[in-house]
């Protein structure tokens, strides 16, 4: 099947959320400083989430129960719990590498560059952004383009030498509470091809997080992926060793 | 009488006639050989695309060929509904399910195209079983046996008996994955197939893709590939609107053009070569007619009509042409036969060239094609007649009184 350049990945979404959560103070002043601060504040941050992913395409619909762990911006592990047929199928991201574990054949497979644009777990989320979108402020120039009573609009344009998928990304961030509302993705022709909407905002510990993300591939109006966080915990005692290939295989 | 006369006249200057004759024979024979080799090259090209992959006719959902849509699948038994046993020119029918994905071994992965086939049926359509360099063609005995190309085997560093993981997007959205065992390795010389193509049992692919009982296409072979578009035109009206049969010309439009261009270039080559031969014939008969001016004068004086004279000379050229044709065709056919049976292997000098969707193999190899015989044959007779016409006319227009006085 052809790859779908429709969405970014789950960890990206995590990151988007977290990145924006930490953005509070410096944001209105200087976007670059904001990003730097976000990056520093993010260091050491870890999380665990129980999620439900609903994927709807014109041919099928399915629902996945997943458990996910993340550390910094560089480590991410997600494992399928339901349905039973796909139980323990897992994805590990370490820096710019993505690995999948397939319990049926008991093999760990590294996702090759040619498949990075491919759909992740059949959703409108691709492997590619899992790696690339984690470096938003490295690959894109950020600029505040609009500020209203209720929200900020931040435009991200790719740097000239950056190997990126999108022609432009626009974030709309709510002011109080400071959470993302919507992210729009444009292709090289500046046509908007994907939207991610955030809602169900809740307080988790001392943070305020939108618990539901809806990914809409605009080329296919009848398709969508909804990612719902049923449980989200921050600042767990996780280190890099947890994100090993061995752990990818063992629940 | 005229025939005997013409025949005798031919052999009056034996050396000259033999020289002309040999020029005609050589040009005809070499032409037939060269055209046979050209045809062999095109046949190889067409075969590399059809007999190693497509087949001559492909039945699939409309636009499946362009979009390769995973969901454009058909019932496994679709062929038997529309293609009856009366279609005797169809000699092979193979249902296939196609899947694009990755073959992985630890850290190496290669993008591949897996064709799910029923081995015994597929052998009627493609000839990969004749291209094996290791192992065996998959059989029903191994439920997950795979035939892979040489290039892929090299990239993955696998040999027969090794296990590989195939990963793809299944039709229900899940990650389709399972183990394949390499049973055989083929080498076609076509890098696209050698590097990407994997043949696996149909049921195995159906299970991995969660498409039980479904196929994407039915590939068919014909006794004569050149009749593919006629067969497609005849069969298509029987099919429902969302299913169509494409012939290899639709699948490989460049190839169709190359072969059509060949028919034109064959005429050009034949014309150029025969132009030279024709001048030789012309020269011979002018000489012959000039020498016999006195003789023609006497014949005319005795009452032979000019058109009989003309007929005599034309008959001579025709006899010469006929003899040249007989020997030339025989020699040409013998040389073509040799090139068909033995051929010349160029593998040491050049590598396979992929062109217009097919692969030209590094070998000189001829095939028999009717056009390669009748075009040179017909042209040779035509050239003989044209070349004979001018001298014949000259002979017929002679004034008997002056001609008789000529020394």
């Amino acid at each position: 099947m052809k790859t779908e350049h429709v969405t970014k990945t789950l960890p990206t979404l995590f990151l988007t959320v977290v990145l924006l959560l930490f953005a509070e103070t410096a944001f209105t002043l200087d976007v670059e400083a904001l990003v730097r601060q976000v990056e520093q504040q993010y260091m050491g941050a870890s999380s665990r989430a129980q999620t439900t992913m609903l994927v709807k395409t014109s041919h099928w619909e399915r629902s996945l129960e997943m458990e996910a762990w993340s550390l910094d911006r560089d480590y991410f592990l997600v494992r399928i719990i339901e349905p039973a047929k796909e139980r323990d199928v897992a994805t590990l991201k370490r820096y710019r590498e993505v690995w999948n574990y397939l319990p049926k054949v008991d093999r760990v497979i590294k996702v090759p560059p040619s498949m990075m644009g491919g759909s992740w777990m059949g959703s409108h989320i691709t492997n590619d952004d899992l790696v690339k979108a984690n470096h938003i402020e490295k690959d894109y120039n950020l600029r505040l383009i609009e500020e209203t009573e209720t929200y900020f609009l931040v435009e991200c344009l790719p740097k000239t030498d950056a190997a990126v998928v999108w022609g432009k990304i626009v974030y709309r961030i709510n002011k109080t509470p400071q959470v993302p509302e919507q992210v729009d993705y444009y292709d090289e022709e500046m046509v908007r091809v994907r939207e991610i909407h955030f809602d169900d905002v809740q307080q988790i510990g001392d943070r305020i997080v939108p618990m539901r993300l809806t990914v809409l591939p605009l080329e296919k109006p009848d398709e969508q992926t909804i990612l719902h966080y049923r449980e989200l915990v921050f600042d767990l005692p996780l280190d890099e060793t947890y994100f090993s290939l061995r752990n990818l295989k063992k629940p | 009488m005229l025939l005997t006369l013409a025949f005798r006249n031919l052999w009056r200057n034996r050396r000259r006639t033999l020289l002309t004759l040999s020029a005609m024979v050589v040009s005809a024979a070499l032409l037939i050989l060269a055209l046979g080799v050209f045809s062999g090259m095109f046949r190889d090209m067409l075969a590399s695309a059809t007999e190693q992959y497509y087949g001559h006719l492909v039945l699939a959902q409309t636009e499946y060929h362009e979009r390769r849509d995973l969901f454009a699948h058909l019932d496994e038994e679709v062929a038997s509904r529309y293609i009856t046993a009366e279609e005797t020119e169809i000699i092979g029918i193979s249902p296939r399910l196609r899947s694009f994905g990755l073959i992985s071994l630890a850290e190496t992965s290669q993008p591949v195209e897996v064709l799910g086939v029923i081995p015994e049926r597929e052998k009627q359509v493609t000839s990969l079983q004749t291209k094996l360099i290791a192992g065996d063609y998959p059989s029903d005995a191994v439920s997950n046996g795979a035939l892979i190309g040489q290039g892929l085997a090299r990239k993955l560093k696998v040999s027969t008996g090794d296990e590989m993981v195939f990963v793809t997007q299944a039709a229900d959205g899940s990650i389709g994955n399972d183990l394949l065992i390499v049973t055989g390795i083929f080498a076609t010389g076509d890098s696209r197939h050698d590097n990407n193509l994997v043949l696996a049992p149909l049921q195995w692919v159906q299970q991995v893709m969660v498409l039980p009982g479904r196929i994407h296409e039915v590939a068919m072979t014909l006794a004569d590939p050149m009749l593919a578009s006629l067969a497609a035109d005849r069969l298509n009206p029987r099919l429902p609107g969302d299913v169509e049969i494409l012939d290899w010309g639709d699948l490989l439009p460049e190839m169709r053009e190359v072969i059509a261009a060949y028919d034109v270039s064959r005429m050009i080559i034949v014309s150029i070569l025969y132009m030279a031969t024709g001048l030789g014939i012309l020269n011979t008969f002018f000489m012959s007619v000039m020498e016999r001016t006195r003789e023609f004068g006497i014949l005319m004086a005795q009452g032979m009509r000019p058109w009989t004279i003309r007929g005599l000379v034309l008959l001579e050229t025709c006899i010469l042409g006929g003899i040249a044709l007989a020997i030339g065709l025989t020699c040409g056919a013998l040389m073509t036969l040799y090139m068909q049976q033995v051929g010349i292997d160029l593998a040491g000098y050049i590598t396979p060239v992929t062109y217009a969707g097919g692969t030209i193999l590094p070998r000189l190899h001829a095939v028999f094609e009717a056009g390669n015989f009748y075009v040179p044959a017909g042209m040779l007779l035509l050239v003989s007649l044209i070349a004979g016409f001018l001298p014949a006319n000259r002979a017929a227009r002679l004034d008997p009184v002056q001609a008789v006085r000529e020394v």
Side-chain angles (χ1 to χ4, degrees), chain A residues 59-60 62 86 104 107 122, chain B residues 71 163 169 171 173 177 207:
Chain A
H59 297 281
W60 45 263
R62 67 196 207 118
E86 286 164 76
K104 184 178 173 187
R107 294 285 204 287
Chain B
F71 297 100
E163 280 186 345
Q169 168 114 43
N177 64 94
Q207 164 259 316

Side-chain angles (χ1 to χ4, degrees), chain A residues 1 4 59-60 62 85-86 89 99-100 102 104-105 107-110 112 114-115 119 121-122, chain B residues 70-71 100 102 104 106-107 109 111 163 165 167 169 171-175 177-179 207 210:
Chain A
M1 187 172 169
E4 295 173 53
H59 297 281
W60 45 263
R62 67 196 207 118
K85 188 191 159 213
E86 286 164 76
V89 170
W99 305 74
N100 283 322
L102 303 169
K104 184 178 173 187
V105 292
R107 294 285 204 287
V108 167
I109 287 166
K110 186 179 174 185
S114 59
M115 293 296 281
S119 160
M121 304 273 178
Chain B
L70 162 66
F71 297 100
F100 295 96
L102 277 183
S104 291
E107 289 205 25
S109 294
E163 280 186 345
V165 183
V167 187
Q169 168 114 43
D172 66 348
S174 64
I175 301 181
N177 64 94
D178 210 341
L179 287 176
Q207 164 259 316
V210 200

Side-chain angles (χ1 to χ4, degrees), chain B residues 55-74:
Chain B
H56 297 138
L57 294 176
V58 178
L59 180 151
Q61 274 196 32
T62 327
E63 289 182 16
Y64 175 71
H65 176 62
E66 280 99 64
R67 297 175 50 222
R68 291 277 193 246
D69 181 3
L70 162 66
F71 297 100
H73 41 70
L74 300 163

Side-chain angles (χ1 to χ4, degrees), chain A residues 175-208:
Chain A
K175 277 187 169 172
T176 42
Q178 195 160 324
V179 290
E181 282 182 345
Q182 186 175 334
V183 188
D184 299 337
Y185 296 84
Y186 295 77
D187 66 11
E188 285 92 350
E189 275 92 51
M190 290 300 163
V191 176
R192 187 160 47 163
V193 288
R194 181 177 74 180
E195 287 176 4
I196 300 176
H197 298 257
F198 300 83
D199 60 358
D200 189 14
V201 178
Q202 287 183 23
Q203 177 128 16
I204 304 291
D206 55 352
R207 283 159 232 202
I208 295 169

